[in-house]
Amino acid sequence: MIARYSLPEMSAVWDLQNKYRTWLKVEIAATKAWVELGKVPEEALKTIEEKTKDYIEGKKEFDINRINEIESVTNHDVIAFLTYIKEIVGDAAKYLHFGMTSSDMLDTAFAIQIKEAGEILLKDIDRILEAIKRRALEHKYTVMIGRTHGIHAEPITFGLKLAIWYEEMKRNRERLEAAIKRAAVGKISGAVGTYANIDPRVEEIACRELGIGHAKVSNQVVQRDRHAEFLNTLGLIASSIEQFATEIRHLQRTEVREVEEPFRKGQKGSSAMPHKRNPILSERLCGLARVVRSASIVGMENIALWHERDISHSSTERTSFVDACIALDYMLQKFEWLISNLTVYPENMMKNLNLLKGLVFSQRVLLTLIEKGGLTREEAYAIVQENAMKVWAEGVEFKELLKKDERVKKVLTDEEIEEIFDLSYHTKHVDYIFNRVFG
């Protein structure tokens, strides 16, 4: 992912230094397990740990150029790395990678990186949940028009809109937790997963040491449905952010202007038109959602590997996982800032609600005529629609038309008609809904 959309903490997870550090942690954890099982001398482990301690702690950096130089000969990145580590450790390095195949180390290390990345994303979501809840409570009774098909429907509140977003992000958090648990799984089972050259207990001990789960059964790789689920979950989360950002874009349109992205001092909206205040961040979030979603397709296509494994998944995972995690981290943090600082215009919401001269109360008129007038639904609907179409055509007040309609006057008094147009009718269950969502 380009630097423009990369934030430091997530980028560090996928940094080459951290990758090699994680590879080394896996190799040492496996060696510790062999020591525990009495197959490797403890002295050798001490030597390995002493000579690699600064690398594990990040005090020293791996010589990338040297590793690349070795790989230019071996044409194998894991062998190049192990050869480089032998240059640091000396003879004790012969106990590293003992009985293991490359994917034992690669997939187990990958699981650790997935867990680290996932935990950052969970923190991001937690901050978004806090921000949405805060704004929802602030605008619990900020009345606005609800829209279906882009057309005015009935009154809602902005707080209710945000409560829906809150619940959606809660579901996304639950999905992500489950996906991390299934994807953050290592395997140290040897060449085709039979443990022929490695004790199964090494896998259990090492993965426990590394803080991840282990596959109950695997072939030469951890099965890729786990990774596809993780990427699909990232795609779902990105799609939720896109949905919220799309709504903000619609509500910021000049003709609507019910909310607006913050416009900072010195900010410019257009190189040509000085008056412009564009929803650029929301548009950026919508665009990046496409990048994150694209990774989910790659993840699903990586499931079908040949026999016990091939490496058609390897090249794609080096980019798709990195880009998806970094892009979503950026999206989540930017959306949290956006929702926290979003400008809301209640007066415009009320102005827009009244644009249709009271037509948004048509359903209550319909139901009241049925309830009090003994009319069939078809009869009541015809009366209400006839008057509603006059409002569309002539721009007159819906309420005044109803008061003049003899069919309505036979059923409802002017006072009863006035009562129908009371906004509080549409907000009477807001507390109940908020209690269900926020407790």
Side-chain angles (χ1 to χ4, degrees):
M1 179 55 65
I2 63 172
R4 183 180 182 90
Y5 304 126
S6 304
L7 300 175
E9 187 180 15
M10 182 63 81
S11 296
V13 171
W14 303 105
D15 176 75
L16 198 53
Q17 290 291 332
N18 187 57
K19 183 177 85 166
Y20 287 144
R21 193 158 46 245
T22 308
W23 284 11
L24 185 55
K25 286 178 183 177
V26 172
E27 293 290 349
I28 292 174
T31 306
K32 279 184 179 179
W34 277 122
V35 170
E36 189 174 322
L37 297 174
K39 298 292 185 180
V40 168
E42 193 169 344
E43 199 59 39
L45 174 63
K46 285 183 180 177
T47 299
I48 292 168
E49 288 185 317
E50 284 172 6
K51 293 193 174 182
T52 61
K53 183 173 181 288
D54 286 347
Y55 294 92
I56 292 290
E57 294 177 356
K59 294 176 182 176
K60 280 187 179 178
E61 290 198 339
F62 297 93
D63 188 340
I64 306 297
N65 290 332
R66 176 56 184 150
I67 296 172
N68 290 341
E69 182 184 351
I70 299 169
E71 188 179 352
S72 69
V73 177
T74 64
N75 201 28
H76 195 292
D77 57 350
V78 173
I79 293 173
F81 175 74
L82 293 170
T83 303
Y84 171 74
I85 295 301
K86 184 181 183 299
E87 293 177 353
I88 295 170
V89 171
D91 289 342
K94 67 183 179 181
Y95 295 109
L96 294 171
H97 210 68
F98 194 76
M100 294 167 62
T101 188
S102 296
S103 292
D104 288 333
M105 183 265 279
L106 291 172
D107 278 4
T108 304
F110 193 27
I112 295 169
Q113 288 179 290
I114 290 172
K115 183 181 179 183
E116 290 175 352
E119 287 173 347
I120 293 171
L121 296 175
L122 286 173
K123 287 192 298 183
D124 291 342
I125 292 175
D126 286 339
R127 285 192 290 266
I128 284 177
L129 287 170
E130 289 174 10
I132 294 176
K133 180 179 179 179
R134 186 170 61 251
R135 297 310 301 269
L137 292 172
E138 178 187 348
H139 292 287
K140 186 177 182 179
Y141 288 109
T142 302
V143 179
M144 65 183 297
I145 190 62
R147 297 172 173 91
T148 59
H149 306 274
I151 306 299
H152 284 203
E154 291 190 351
I156 59 169
T157 76
F158 189 55
L160 284 175
K161 188 184 291 286
L162 295 177
I164 292 170
W165 297 2
Y166 181 87
E167 274 293 291
E168 186 166 339
M169 288 308 295
K170 272 182 66 179
R171 292 192 296 276
N172 282 326
R173 195 190 194 288
E174 291 163 4
R175 292 182 184 112
L176 182 56
E177 276 192 307
I180 292 168
K181 185 177 180 181
R182 276 192 280 271
V185 165
K187 60 85 62 179
I188 304 177
S189 56
V192 289
T194 61
Y195 302 97
N197 296 300
I198 197 162
D199 191 314
R201 291 174 294 175
V202 170
E203 179 182 76
E204 295 171 13
I205 294 167
C207 287
R208 185 169 60 247
E209 165 85 11
L210 295 165
I212 57 174
H214 64 275
K216 292 180 180 178
V217 60
S218 62
N219 44 39
Q220 193 155 326
V221 294
V222 172
Q223 276 52 63
R224 257 45 198 178
D225 65 286
R226 297 175 181 273
H227 305 77
E229 180 186 15
F230 182 82
L231 290 175
N232 284 341
T233 301
L234 301 197
L236 273 171
I237 297 169
S239 295
S240 292
I241 296 300
E242 181 182 19
Q243 154 67 8
F244 308 156
T246 298
E247 181 68 9
I248 290 170
R249 290 168 63 191
H250 279 307
L251 296 179
Q252 185 168 333
R253 286 182 298 122
T254 307
E255 296 82 0
V256 179
R257 203 161 179 257
E258 294 179 356
V259 304
E260 187 177 44
E261 289 186 6
F263 196 83
R264 293 173 293 189
K265 185 178 181 181
Q267 184 174 337
K268 305 291 189 293
S270 165
S271 62
M273 297 167 283
H275 71 278
K276 294 297 290 296
R277 290 159 68 113
N278 304 325
I280 56 169
L281 180 51
S282 295
E283 290 170 338
R284 192 184 315 157
L285 295 177
C286 290
L288 286 173
R290 300 166 193 167
V291 174
V292 179
R293 270 197 304 275
S294 69
S296 67
I297 302 297
V298 174
M300 286 188 285
E301 292 184 347
N302 283 344
I303 293 172
L305 303 180
W306 285 21
H307 303 301
E308 277 56 63
R309 65 82 66 109
D310 61 59
I311 60 166
S312 59
H313 63 290
S314 176
S315 56
T316 64
E317 287 176 351
R318 292 171 192 259
T319 55
S320 61
F321 259 85
V322 179
D323 286 355
C325 288
I326 290 178
L328 184 59
D329 174 51
Y330 177 90
M331 289 177 67
L332 292 172
Q333 292 202 35
K334 290 299 180 183
F335 181 74
E336 187 273 327
W337 180 86
L338 174 56
I339 198 66
S340 293
N341 295 281
L342 188 70
T343 303
V344 180
Y345 297 110
E347 65 282 2
N348 286 347
M349 290 178 173
M350 189 59 65
K351 181 183 73 174
N352 291 336
L353 188 150
N354 292 322
L355 280 176
L356 292 186
K357 310 290 186 180
L359 284 186
V360 296
F361 296 96
S362 69
Q363 182 178 194
R364 193 179 179 197
V365 176
L366 170 68
L367 296 176
T368 307
L369 287 175
I370 295 170
E371 183 183 358
K372 292 193 174 183
L375 301 174
T376 67
R377 183 177 184 86
E378 290 73 19
E379 290 170 337
Y381 195 101
I383 293 170
V384 176
Q385 188 179 46
E386 181 185 322
N387 283 284
M389 293 307 107
K390 288 181 182 177
V391 176
W392 280 107
E394 302 169 18
V396 292
E397 288 288 339
F398 186 43
K399 181 167 44 175
E400 298 309 314
L401 286 176
L402 294 173
K403 287 179 180 179
K404 294 174 183 177
D405 190 309
E406 293 299 328
R407 296 164 297 179
V408 176
K409 289 172 70 175
K410 287 178 183 178
V411 180
L412 300 173
T413 66
D414 285 357
E415 291 74 18
E416 287 172 324
I417 292 173
E418 288 288 344
E419 185 183 344
I420 288 172
F421 288 76
D422 183 358
L423 272 174
S424 64
Y425 176 83
H426 292 274
T427 61
K428 61 180 180 291
H429 294 306
V430 168
D431 281 339
Y432 179 80
I433 298 170
F434 265 61
N435 189 54
R436 289 202 302 193
V437 173
F438 301 112

